Amino acid sequence: MKEYSLMINGQKTAPQGGFFDVLNPATEAVVALCPQASVEQLDEAVSAAQACYESWQYSSNEERKKLLHDIADRIEANAAELAQIIVEEQGKPLFLAQMEVGGAVAWTRATAELEMPVDVLEDSDTKRVEVHRKPLGVVGSITPWNWPLMIAVWHIMPAIRSGNTVVSKPSGLTPLNTIRLVEIINEVAPPGLVNIVTGESGIGSGMTRHPGIRKIVFTGSTPTGQTIMRGAADNLKRLTLELGGNDAGIVLPDADPAAIAEGIFQTAFLNMGQTCAALKRLYVHDSIYEELCEKLADVAAKQVMGNGLDEGVTFGPVQNRDQLNLVNELVEDARANGARILCGGSPVDGAGYFYPPTLVADVTDGSRLVDEEQFGPVLPIIRYSDVEDAIKRANAADVGLGGSVWSSDIAKATEIAGRLECGTAWVNGHAELLPYAPFGGCKMSGFGVEFGQEGLMEYTSAQVININK
């Protein structure tokens, strides 16, 4: 059985806390052993990152840009291995894992090309006032289990591009490809620039409270984000929190069910629904409700569920048993309250955490499946008759990550999209993230943004240079 190592100060490091199993969600077999870092090793990683920061903060723009392109080259060279690890520990089909690796490469290169220009506020005969962006120091990255490689790249690359150093802590459910990513980064990066400590016992909370970490960037649940915010208060850490969502999509009466069914299905069930910005509540006008339900069920029937490494598989397992149990619990609650299960609706017998794509009709606000984020392969379809009412119900959630409007009238859909209370609103699409467009939530979906120029600035502080001539 392969044993992975920590990476501290450019060196593979044996854990002081032993190892724990990482399971394949399709088979429940052990994939490999993950190191359990001690709190003392977290201190070592932060110290290594701080030592590297003393010089890296003064690295040139070109040096940082070149490093990210070198890292992208190394990810490309190891793409097949990284995709294989993703499938084995996360469960998604191989084609989706390959897309994740390709996306990680593209995002790294896009981040490399971002700039941090000096903003000149005044340049007169007597005075020049400039705004410079300065790195913060050591950044702590805490990542979830749904897109383990991509989200690690989203955290790490802008941090080092802007002159910071990093300590990474991936989910204990999917730590292996993030460990491998950090090993790859250390093939070309200076020692201590990017370190990784893994473990489920005190490492995340230790990072949150650590006085040597100046910023935490976290992607995950709202309750965990709240805990991080409390812990970060002691030394006023900067925070970027991309938290839970319960994204609503509104289908207007002029939409063509046959034209939009595939797009709705794929954005709702992306990564088996285990995506923060997936479409999770679908409001459909009464006039096309039954037709769209039928078209969505047709798309669901075409999915091939199984081990992501098997040929032809399009739909993998839920990543872990706790999430499988939650999904099943929400569907059973809806069923008990009169919902109509159009397809799926129960776990698959045998090994693995398999739950088929499930569409639930005749359900509405107030049911757990609508009000709670399912984060799995289930989509509630909610009937409405008045568009104003649909907007109000979509906005009633205490979270606001994404939302969408589906219509053949682009102008009308765009106007409604602008009224949704969320960080990103799509028209005739959902869940599309772009490296140049800032992404983040409002309300209980967190604060701060990632991606693009605005996302890069989140890793810096402003310094005004006031020059009297």
Side-chain angles (χ1 to χ4, degrees):
M1 185 64 62
K2 181 172 181 178
E3 296 180 352
Y4 280 73
S5 301
L6 309 173
M7 177 67 72
I8 299 174
N9 201 30
Q11 300 294 319
K12 290 185 178 181
T13 305
Q16 294 178 348
F19 295 87
F20 59 91
D21 295 342
V22 177
L23 302 183
N24 183 328
T27 64
E28 300 181 63
V30 177
V31 177
L33 300 180
C34 179
Q36 171 70 57
S38 66
V39 174
E40 290 75 20
Q41 288 179 308
L42 169 61
D43 291 340
E44 292 174 15
V46 174
S47 295
Q50 181 60 45
C52 182
Y53 176 70
E54 296 304 320
S55 57
W56 184 251
Q57 64 177 315
Y58 302 118
S59 58
S60 69
N61 183 57
E62 289 307 312
E63 186 178 357
R64 297 174 191 175
K65 183 181 295 189
K66 180 181 184 302
L67 176 63
L68 263 67
H69 281 298
D70 288 346
I71 291 170
D73 290 343
R74 298 303 303 143
I75 296 173
E76 279 189 310
N78 292 273
E81 178 193 5
L82 288 167
Q84 174 93 10
I85 295 171
I86 290 171
V87 177
E88 289 180 347
E89 67 176 347
Q90 202 280 329
K92 66 189 63 174
L94 181 59
F95 79 90
L96 194 56
Q98 291 168 336
M99 287 174 56
E100 183 169 354
V101 177
V105 172
W107 228 280
T108 300
R109 296 200 189 283
T111 304
E113 294 303 315
L114 294 174
E115 301 289 348
M116 293 192 298
V118 174
D119 187 11
V120 179
L121 304 182
E122 180 181 344
D123 190 11
S124 64
D125 291 341
T126 60
K127 185 181 289 290
R128 180 178 172 90
V129 181
E130 303 172 343
V131 180
H132 295 250
R133 306 302 304 198
K134 300 187 69 173
L136 300 170
V138 179
V139 172
S141 162
I142 303 177
T143 52
W145 47 259
N146 56 334
W147 294 91
L149 178 64
M150 181 67 92
I151 295 177
V153 163
W154 289 348
H155 289 191
I156 293 170
M157 300 311 166
I160 61 178
R161 177 66 182 87
S162 52
N164 302 281
T165 57
V166 176
V167 175
S168 169
K169 189 268 176 198
S171 166
L173 295 169
T174 56
L176 305 180
N177 73 83
T178 313
I179 294 175
R180 186 69 188 109
L181 169 67
V182 174
E183 290 176 353
I184 289 167
I185 291 172
N186 275 273
E187 293 173 3
V188 292
L193 184 71
V194 181
N195 310 269
I196 187 164
V197 287
T198 52
E200 294 300 88
S201 179
I203 301 302
S205 60
M207 289 174 67
T208 299
R209 297 189 303 267
H210 203 291
I213 294 178
R214 297 306 311 159
K215 176 183 175 71
I216 293 284
V217 53
F218 169 74
T219 302
S221 72
T222 296
T224 303
Q226 291 171 311
T227 300
I228 287 172
M229 192 170 179
R230 294 185 192 102
D234 286 346
N235 71 337
L236 297 181
K237 281 182 177 61
R238 301 291 184 92
L239 295 173
T240 297
L241 302 177
E242 195 266 271
L243 308 178
N246 193 7
D247 288 14
I250 300 175
V251 182
L252 300 185
D254 62 12
D256 179 358
I260 64 174
E262 183 75 29
I264 287 175
F265 182 89
Q266 295 301 339
T267 54
F269 290 92
L270 177 64
N271 196 30
M272 286 60 68
Q274 300 167 125
T275 297
C276 293
L279 200 168
K280 298 190 174 80
R281 298 177 285 151
L282 186 66
Y283 293 86
V284 182
H285 192 267
D286 185 74
S287 63
I288 57 173
Y289 185 84
E290 293 298 341
E291 184 181 359
L292 184 53
C293 284
E294 180 182 337
K295 297 298 183 185
L296 288 169
D298 289 343
V299 179
K302 298 174 184 176
Q303 305 309 306
V304 179
M305 187 167 55
N307 188 320
L309 293 175
D310 292 344
E311 188 174 350
V313 167
T314 64
F315 210 87
V318 175
Q319 199 285 323
N320 58 81
R321 183 167 293 282
D322 286 347
Q323 197 62 33
L324 177 70
N325 291 341
L326 174 62
V327 168
N328 189 51
E329 182 181 311
L330 294 177
V331 173
E332 289 304 314
D333 179 77
R335 194 197 312 268
N337 285 281
R340 178 164 45 118
I341 311 300
L342 301 177
C343 58
S346 59
V348 177
D349 292 335
Y353 310 131
F354 289 100
Y355 200 97
T358 298
L359 298 165
V360 180
D362 301 341
V363 64
T364 192
D365 308 82
S367 78
R368 290 188 61 197
L369 182 58
V370 176
D371 293 354
E372 299 179 26
E373 182 184 23
Q374 70 275 44
F375 212 74
V378 181
L379 179 64
I381 309 172
I382 305 136
R383 189 190 302 263
Y384 77 90
S385 56
D386 179 74
V387 173
E388 291 298 319
D389 180 57
I391 297 169
K392 182 178 179 181
R393 291 155 76 183
N395 286 337
D398 62 358
V399 290
L401 193 57
S404 59
V405 183
W406 303 74
S407 172
S408 60
D409 186 338
I410 300 301
K412 178 64 174 176
T414 302
E415 185 271 327
I416 292 174
R419 295 172 61 190
L420 296 179
E421 296 173 358
C422 55
T424 300
W426 294 272
V427 172
N428 293 329
H430 205 109
E432 181 187 22
L433 305 185
L434 301 166
Y436 55 82
F439 176 74
C442 62
K443 300 194 282 189
M444 297 295 283
S445 287
F447 53 81
V449 297
E450 300 178 85
F451 317 149
Q453 196 70 37
E454 289 189 47
L456 189 67
M457 295 302 101
E458 295 267 348
Y459 292 84
T460 69
S461 61
Q463 184 184 45
V464 174
I465 304 293
N466 187 324
I467 305 163
N468 292 305
K469 296 181 179 179

